[in-house]
Amino acid sequence: MHIAEGYLPPLHAVAWGAASAPFVVHGVRALTREVKAHPESTLLLGASGAFTFVLSALKIPSVTGSCSHPTGTGLGAILFRPPVMAVLGTITLLFQALLLAHGGLTTLGANVFSMAIVGPWAGYAVYRLARRGGAPLMVGVFLAAFTADLVTYCVTSVQLALAFPDPGTGFLGALAKFGGIFAVTQIPLAVSEGLLTVLVMRLLVRSSKGELTRLGVLVTGGARGAAKEAGVR
């Protein structure tokens, strides 16, 4: 998903950076409020950011100028909501660009828009719909992580198709080409990420029940009710 340094035309790079900036600024404010109101949440925030960093650093070569990998953004979107995830994702992408040569500074705005903004919002929306529909917590968690991953790559396919339309079939032809190549690796990765995120959430339910209840992930009703809600015995 990380579009490589210098791969996008300058106008596209600037446009995606401008589109991402308001979401990141809003996320900084949301993150600041969260830390000031609940300093104890910093450990869980750090864990969410680390989860994203580690998963999204595992890259598999894919489309020229990009790659396939898990994103790890679904967990943070569930715990702290998508605005905070926009900041954690931006920090992750910035450090990867500077330290791992994964992505780039000129393409940071495009990568942030797909992985740190649209992906988390899509995953969180599916999570909320699943929970309101009566789905168990872990089903919602799986769907959120799966959706955040796949939607990220759908957006990246759009970004690449806009920048490099097919000479014969234009934008739609390029979109089908980029999306088809990504799908080969990304669908299995999205399933794997969903399962891994469920395992991590189960561990958090065991170790941070009180914090998850405060964040609204677990319903109130005592330890037994929370365990039943999460499917943990």
Side-chain angles (χ1 to χ4, degrees):
M1 184 269 345
H2 291 31
I3 301 175
E5 177 67 47
Y7 192 70
L8 289 179
L11 183 59
H12 287 250
V14 171
W16 288 116
S20 298
F23 292 93
V24 177
V25 171
H26 174 58
V28 169
R29 293 174 178 172
L31 179 59
T32 301
R33 288 195 300 269
E34 172 66 26
V35 173
K36 284 183 178 180
H38 304 282
E40 68 278 7
S41 66
T42 52
L43 287 177
L44 206 52
L45 279 165
S48 300
F51 186 70
T52 299
F53 184 91
V54 171
L55 287 194
S56 59
L58 305 173
K59 59 182 179 179
I60 301 172
S62 186
V63 177
T64 301
S66 186
C67 58
S68 280
H69 55 76
T71 62
T73 58
L75 180 66
I78 292 170
L79 296 177
F80 295 103
R81 309 298 183 265
V84 171
M85 198 60 237
V87 181
L88 298 181
T90 298
I91 294 171
T92 291
L93 289 164
L94 179 60
F95 272 83
Q96 288 175 347
L98 293 174
L99 303 178
L100 304 179
H102 190 17
L105 296 179
T106 61
T107 57
L108 182 63
N111 291 331
V112 165
F113 193 82
S114 60
M115 192 182 99
I117 296 171
V118 181
W121 272 109
Y124 183 70
V126 168
Y127 169 77
R128 294 300 302 168
L129 287 173
R131 297 293 279 148
R132 287 181 181 177
L137 172 62
M138 295 308 167
V139 172
V141 169
F142 174 86
L143 292 175
F146 178 86
T147 302
D149 186 307
L150 277 190
V151 169
T152 294
Y153 282 83
C154 290
V155 175
T156 300
S157 297
V158 170
Q159 292 171 326
L160 292 173
L162 286 172
F164 305 102
D166 186 88
T169 55
F171 167 77
L172 292 179
L175 181 61
K177 177 183 68 176
F178 288 127
I181 296 173
F182 274 134
V184 174
T185 53
Q186 209 54 41
I187 291 176
L189 282 176
V191 173
S192 300
E193 179 176 342
L195 295 174
L196 178 59
T197 306
V198 166
L199 291 176
V200 172
M201 183 62 79
R202 288 177 70 88
L203 291 174
L204 291 177
V205 168
R206 294 180 184 275
S207 62
S208 306
K209 217 175 253 117
E211 187 68 8
L212 294 185
T213 301
R214 180 188 70 78
L215 291 168
V217 176
L218 294 178
V219 297
T220 56
R224 179 174 295 182
K228 182 179 180 181
E229 168 74 5
V232 177
R233 297 178 180 176

